């Protein structure tokens, strides 16, 4: 018997906000799939740290009715991993062009300990912005979509990428990794290795680093399929 369908909880990456998921959520609405988007405090003036970010994800889940399919994009794969490890009501984790790192490791550690050249740091070193985001982040988006996204980017906390992951439950619950074949940040071969660490099955899209903007209908279809399979796999509640 099919149980209640899970709510899809979407977590944005660095420099962005919940707005990045708007089109995907519109398609999920059309499919009558409940969704929510988390605002991470690492974007903007706040210099949040990783523990706080994972706790913010958990706080949103506490306000909703589970079960949940928890989705992280790019940087947020790290706090999403930690949040999922602590909760039985997260029944599936989805990494969208996302980072996953071993427990006790930071995102910066996973990058070899040195920030990429395209991270442009503020004078005080507390935040950073991306260099050349149009090419790196939104290469397959239409010019209107790319320019609109670039205009909304905000500084991301530098401290958050140095904070180690406190817990990881890789392999303890189903996971899916969405690989973008044209991703300039996490090329397909690198993403395959990240997916292997997360013990996730993989799905590929012909997209850039932001399939939620360049291929929102396709990404929503992937998520809808996961929701349907998760509902069938979970025991029905009485």
């Amino acid at each position: 018997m099919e149980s209640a369908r899970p709510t899809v909880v979407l977590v944005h990456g660095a420099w962005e906000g919940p707005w990045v998921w708007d089109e995907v959520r519109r398609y999920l609405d059309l499919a009558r799939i409940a969704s929510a988007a988390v605002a991470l405090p690492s974007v903007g003036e706040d210099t949040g740290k990783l523990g706080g970010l994972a706790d913010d994800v958990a706080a949103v889940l506490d306000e909703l009715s589970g079960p949940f399919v928890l989705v992280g994009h790019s940087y947020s794969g790290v706090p999403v991993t930690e949040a999922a490890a602590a909760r039985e009501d997260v029944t599936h984790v989805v990494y969208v062009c996302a980072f996953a790192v071993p427990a006790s490791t930071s995102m910066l550690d996973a990058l070899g300990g040195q920030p990429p050249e395209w991270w442009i740091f503020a004078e005080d070193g507390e935040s950073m912005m991306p260099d050349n985001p149009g090419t790196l982040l939104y290469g397959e988006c239409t010019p209107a979509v790319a320019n609109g996204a670039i205009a909304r980017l905000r500084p991301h906390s530098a401290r958050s990428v140095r904070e180690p992951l406190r817990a990881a439950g890789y392999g303890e619950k189903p996971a899916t990794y969405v690989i973008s074949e044209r991703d300039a940040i996490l090329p397909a071969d690198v993403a395959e290795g990240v997916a292997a660490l997360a013990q996730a099955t993989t799905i590929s899209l012909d997209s850039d680093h932001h399939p939620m903007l360049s291929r929102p209908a396709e990404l929503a279809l992937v998520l809808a399929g996961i929701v349907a399979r998760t509902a069938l796999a979970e025991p029905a509640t009485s």
Side-chain angles (χ1 to χ4, degrees):
M1 180 181 298
E2 184 176 350
S3 64
R5 289 198 297 182
T7 296
V8 177
V9 179
L10 303 149
V11 190
H12 64 84
W15 305 298
E16 296 164 340
W19 56 265
V20 79
W21 298 106
D22 285 351
E23 279 298 292
V24 169
R25 295 189 69 192
R26 184 172 70 84
Y27 284 109
L28 292 176
D29 285 346
L30 291 173
R32 297 184 178 179
I33 294 172
S35 69
V38 177
L40 293 180
S42 55
V43 175
E45 299 304 318
D46 198 314
T47 56
K49 58 182 180 179
L50 177 60
L53 303 188
D55 293 342
D56 267 19
V57 174
V60 170
L61 300 183
D62 286 341
E63 296 177 355
L64 302 170
S65 297
F68 304 108
V69 170
L70 186 55
V71 184
H73 172 246
S74 194
Y75 160 77
S76 72
V78 181
V80 158
T81 293
E82 183 175 311
R87 302 187 69 103
E88 293 184 2
D89 53 6
V90 173
T91 55
H92 201 110
V93 183
V94 184
Y95 296 90
V96 179
C97 309
F99 290 88
V101 301
S104 302
T105 300
S106 71
M107 181 173 161
L108 191 59
D109 291 335
L111 294 172
Q114 293 295 323
E117 293 182 358
W118 56 272
W119 287 2
I120 307 302
F121 286 86
E123 290 186 7
D124 62 7
E126 293 297 327
S127 65
M128 59 201 184
M129 288 288 286
D131 190 21
N132 194 21
T135 299
L136 284 174
L137 302 180
Y138 310 111
E140 297 300 310
C141 295
T142 66
V145 169
N147 291 335
I150 291 168
R152 300 179 77 172
L153 297 180
R154 297 294 181 266
H156 184 81
S157 161
R159 184 170 65 176
S160 69
V161 300
R162 298 192 298 265
E163 287 287 323
L165 182 67
R166 295 183 299 189
Y170 301 130
E172 295 178 4
K173 58 190 66 180
T176 299
Y177 195 105
V178 177
I179 296 172
S180 284
E181 296 292 342
R182 302 176 189 272
D183 192 340
I185 304 300
L186 284 166
D189 58 338
V190 175
E192 289 278 4
V194 179
L197 169 65
Q199 300 183 42
T201 59
T202 59
I203 295 175
S204 294
L205 295 179
D206 185 19
S207 174
D208 54 22
H209 191 62
H210 284 78
M212 68 283 289
L213 296 177
S214 59
R215 299 288 189 273
E218 294 175 36
L219 180 56
L221 188 60
V222 168
L223 296 176
I226 291 169
V227 166
R229 292 191 297 274
T230 301
L232 288 171
E234 287 296 306
T237 57
S238 57

